[in-house]
Amino acid sequence: MNDLATPTQSADAAICHGKDRRYFDLMAYIVSNAAAGEIMAVDNYCEMVPLIADTDAKIETAKQAFDETKHIRMLASLGRRLDFQVEARIVEPQWLHIRKHFSAAVARKDLAACLVIQDLMTETMAIVLYRILQRDTDPETADMAKRILADEEEHLGIGTRRLAAMLEADPESVQDSLVWAHHRVMPELFSMISTSCHSLCDELGVDCGGIGLDSIRTDIEAIRVEALDTYIETLDRVGFDVKVTTPLIAGMSSYGGLPSADLRLAGTGSCVGSTGCC
Ligand SMILES: [Fe+2]
Ligand SMILES: [Fe+2]
């Protein structure tokens, strides 16, 4: 057990903020997985720093790593205050797989792929997660999510700005980096938008089949749609060529990506919509 975490779950917590035990089991699951993503982000940013030549950008990236360390502390602190368990360590293997791909990009000195993996893909998913934690949760969770969300939006903005400049200078190579990273990292990230896990629920002592997203008035399909819509917005904001991004987005239906309405997919022959298809 990590010393940042609190293992007990009392009857008092179950009635705190008028929420029930099922709600706090859900929070334990989501917050623990979020903490794991934050830990991965610290390592990614730290590993990226030596690839950055510009000193101001290097300092900015080190600060991003520091922001992520604060997020780990905030998530662990939330668990202590509301008395639910937070595993402040990586449990689900997908985070380790993404770390491995990130390290491969570092080894190739592919800064564009590093920025795509951490600042675009991971931060986009973090933004979706913290937006969800602002809605229909308890006031303490919502307040924490709001404060972390502001940092994650700033991180996404940094990546978007840097990648847009790199894309203008060398579009072919940056778009190659996007394609390389997309096929490796997006399936891992999307596989975590799920009601089942590898071993996190066992570690937390919660019922894996009984994780109840309904207690925050959402469901898996709604989260997948929001995640993919936000990812599409991110790619468009950087300025990637739609001829490159459209096939990537279309291919995501094979692992659960369901955009609400991406008109670019019309005519591709892909069944990616949630309604009116197949
Ligand atoms: Fe973070
Ligand atoms: Fe971040």
Side-chain angles (χ1 to χ4, degrees):
M1 178 64 56
N2 191 293
D3 62 2
L4 288 170
T6 299
T8 59
Q9 189 166 39
S10 69
D12 287 346
I15 57 170
C16 183
H17 298 296
K19 303 290 187 182
D20 62 13
R21 168 72 183 245
R22 218 163 141 261
Y23 169 83
F24 286 101
D25 282 353
L26 176 67
M27 286 299 113
Y29 177 80
I30 294 177
V31 171
S32 293
N33 218 20
E38 300 287 1
I39 293 164
M40 180 198 73
V42 173
D43 288 348
N44 284 351
Y45 282 125
C46 289
E47 200 178 21
M48 196 197 306
V49 168
L51 292 185
I52 299 171
D54 178 78
T55 301
D56 286 339
K58 202 183 268 293
I59 293 167
E60 189 175 48
T61 305
K63 190 213 169 254
Q64 287 176 272
F66 179 66
D67 289 343
E68 309 298 9
T69 66
K70 283 190 306 178
H71 301 164
I72 299 165
R73 297 286 187 195
M74 290 163 76
L75 292 161
S77 167
L78 181 76
R80 276 196 299 275
R81 279 180 283 120
L82 297 185
D83 204 11
F84 63 79
Q85 184 174 329
V86 177
E87 287 289 333
R89 64 189 177 89
I90 292 177
V91 177
E92 292 299 276
Q94 291 95 326
W95 297 117
L96 299 173
H97 300 160
I98 298 168
R99 267 294 295 142
K100 186 189 75 182
H101 296 311
F102 188 93
S103 290
V106 171
R108 295 192 296 129
K109 300 194 186 319
D110 186 348
L111 179 59
C114 292
L115 290 167
V116 164
I117 292 171
Q118 179 55 45
D119 273 338
L120 294 195
M121 294 172 174
T122 305
E123 296 293 355
T124 293
M125 292 301 133
I127 284 167
V128 170
L129 171 74
Y130 291 117
R131 279 185 193 151
I132 290 166
L133 287 179
Q134 280 190 284
R135 300 179 212 140
D136 293 306
T137 54
D138 61 86
E140 286 190 62
T141 300
D143 179 64
M144 177 215 66
K146 183 181 174 190
R147 286 186 286 140
I148 297 180
L149 179 61
D151 286 344
E152 310 300 19
E153 287 176 337
E154 188 186 334
H155 296 174
L156 176 62
I158 290 168
T160 301
R161 169 171 45 82
R162 288 184 185 171
L163 279 163
M166 292 167 84
L167 190 63
E168 202 174 321
D170 188 352
E172 199 174 327
S173 130
V174 173
Q175 293 191 136
D176 284 351
S177 297
L178 169 68
V179 173
W180 181 88
H182 174 96
H183 291 304
R184 286 158 181 79
V185 172
M186 291 312 291
E188 300 287 354
L189 287 170
F190 262 72
S191 74
M192 285 186 278
I193 307 176
S194 167
T195 48
S196 61
C197 68
H198 284 262
S199 59
L200 181 56
C201 289
D202 278 352
E203 299 280 342
L204 294 168
V206 302
D207 175 12
C208 194
I211 288 291
L213 285 167
D214 56 298
S215 63
I216 55 170
R217 294 187 198 171
T218 190
D219 58 55
I220 283 297
E221 290 316 312
I223 297 172
R224 283 186 179 147
V225 167
E226 183 170 348
L228 189 49
D229 284 350
T230 311
Y231 180 54
I232 292 168
E233 279 171 35
T234 293
L235 296 179
D236 286 349
R237 205 173 298 131
V238 174
F240 288 113
D241 188 335
V242 294
K243 290 196 197 75
V244 174
T245 58
T246 299
L248 298 182
I249 294 159
M252 291 175 73
S253 58
S254 64
Y255 48 87
L258 298 167
S260 58
D262 187 6
L263 297 178
R264 292 176 309 181
L265 299 178
T268 61
S270 301
C271 182
V272 296
S274 56
T275 57
C277 186
C278 299

